[in-house]
Amino acid sequence: MSERRLLILYGSQTGYAKDTAYRIARQAWRRHFSVSVQSMDQVDKWSIFTTTYPVIFVCSTTGQGEEPDNMKKFWRFILRKTIPYDALSGLKYAVFGLGDSSYQKFNFPAKRLSRRLQQLGGTPIVDRGDGDDQHYLGLDGALDPWLENLWAVLLDRYPLPKPIVPESVAPDPSCDIDYIDEHIDTSVGKTELIPGTHLAQLVKSDRMTAPDHFQDVHLFEFELDDSTQIPQWSPGDCAVLRPENLDSDVNDFLQQMHWTEHADKLLQIKPRDESIIPKWIPRCTTLRWLFTNYFDIMAVPRRSFFEMLYYFSSSENEKERLHEFTTSEGQDELQTYCMRPRRTIVEVLDDLPCSRVPLEYIFDV
């Protein structure tokens, strides 16, 4: 029997394509595939020429039909004219795009990617899927039937070794997380700055538009921790800011999750797949550090958050509500409850006191 492995690569600007990629990965896990999920710029690009198992590409659209930032390097790579026309003759792939048909260049990155893979000899497993925000079911209007077709083809090619894992069973966590002896040497776990990254403190924030103007435009001024490492920027460059959560918000969240007592205890993170956690996250750290510097507890949760929360709710009423949010038919309700009012994760957990994510699943929501 052929190796039951899948590689899922995503290009995501705001997180929706990444969320979709992990949703596909969870469905693959239920069908007993070994799965790896990475951004397109994260994967070893040369390995795509020798991959013997199917690759699923998920990409969104940004700007005026442009590819997401974490797909640009990969895209430039496969556009090289020096690549032989049959370089991907052994590749079996599928492409799903996320877009909005109200824009002229609807799903251009997915369309161009699919066309280029085929030009280089790749063989599509199924027709390209085009998710459309304008569909009355949103992206699910195209994603659900596309996935149904994808699994039918893949399971015909890779028969199930045992029954599909039921939807009622929670998937395995991505990491093993354990509290450790506070006296061990944790120097290997300190954060390393990504090249081109600078630590800075916000010292000024001035509004540039009139108070009654509909646009709230600010001029920010930062003071670098190391003034000898001043970045060399050119006109048109963009700076990506990685802020911290407020101490008060973190304290409230930790209390809400009943983790205050253990917030400052050292814990060790052991990813089951190294691609899941960014390299700059220390593998030996504390809950307080993670929820201050990494997890966006004030974000508006997506569908996958409610899907994971469903597994760990101890209230039947809350489980019923959470399940509704994870169905295609319940997306209007989810929009009304969460997306439109911009309800945050903290506020959602306040509404659902009997639904809490276990420690080992914090990297999965």
Side-chain angles (χ1 to χ4, degrees), residues 90-297:
L91 178 68
K92 305 293 187 294
Y93 71 91
V95 176
F96 187 83
L98 287 75
D100 187 324
S101 60
S102 65
Y103 288 85
Q104 185 177 4
K105 295 184 178 180
F106 170 55
N107 268 341
F108 259 39
K111 292 174 181 177
R112 289 195 298 243
L113 175 63
S114 182
R115 189 182 308 122
R116 183 57 176 161
L117 294 173
Q118 209 158 1
Q119 286 174 351
L120 296 176
T123 304
I125 302 168
V126 293
D127 291 339
R128 185 191 70 247
D130 289 323
D132 184 4
D133 270 336
Q134 294 300 313
H135 193 283
Y136 75 96
L137 291 176
L139 296 171
D140 292 335
L143 181 59
D144 287 346
W146 184 82
L147 282 174
E148 188 176 338
N149 189 24
L150 176 69
W151 296 129
V153 173
L154 287 177
L155 293 182
D156 183 59
R157 194 170 299 174
Y158 304 94
L160 284 167
K162 46 190 173 182
I164 295 175
V165 179
E167 290 288 339
S168 58
V169 177
D172 293 333
S174 301
C175 303
D176 294 313
I177 300 176
D178 300 298
Y179 291 106
I180 58 176
D181 187 345
E182 295 188 18
H183 302 293
I184 70 169
D185 178 15
T186 60
S187 58
V188 294
K190 296 189 183 300
T191 306
E192 295 183 8
L193 288 178
I194 302 169
T197 301
H198 304 272
L199 295 175
Q201 184 172 355
L202 178 66
V203 294
K204 187 184 290 186
S205 173
D206 295 331
R207 178 164 179 149
M208 306 302 291
T209 47
D212 58 348
H213 194 269
F214 74 96
Q215 285 184 315
D216 184 4
V217 179
H218 279 248
L219 174 64
F220 297 113
E221 185 176 316
F222 295 91
E223 187 175 287
L224 295 177
D225 286 10
D226 185 355
S227 59
T228 64
Q229 299 292 323
I230 298 177
Q232 298 299 311
W233 284 322
S234 302
D237 285 352
C238 294
V240 177
L241 306 181
R242 190 182 298 279
E244 296 181 355
N245 289 311
L246 295 175
D247 289 343
S248 56
D249 291 335
V250 173
N251 289 333
D252 290 345
F253 176 79
L254 291 170
Q255 185 174 4
Q256 188 180 45
M257 297 296 292
H258 309 298
W259 287 341
T260 304
E261 182 182 349
H262 307 290
D264 299 300
K265 290 183 178 179
L266 285 174
L267 50 81
Q268 191 166 32
I269 306 166
K270 297 179 181 178
R272 300 184 181 186
D273 182 344
E274 281 295 335
S275 66
I276 293 169
I277 303 177
K279 292 181 179 179
W280 62 270
I281 300 293
R283 299 308 190 252
C284 180
T285 184
T286 65
L287 282 174
R288 188 179 302 280
W289 188 94
L290 287 171
F291 287 104
T292 299
N293 298 280
Y294 181 56
F295 293 115
D296 188 1
I297 56 178

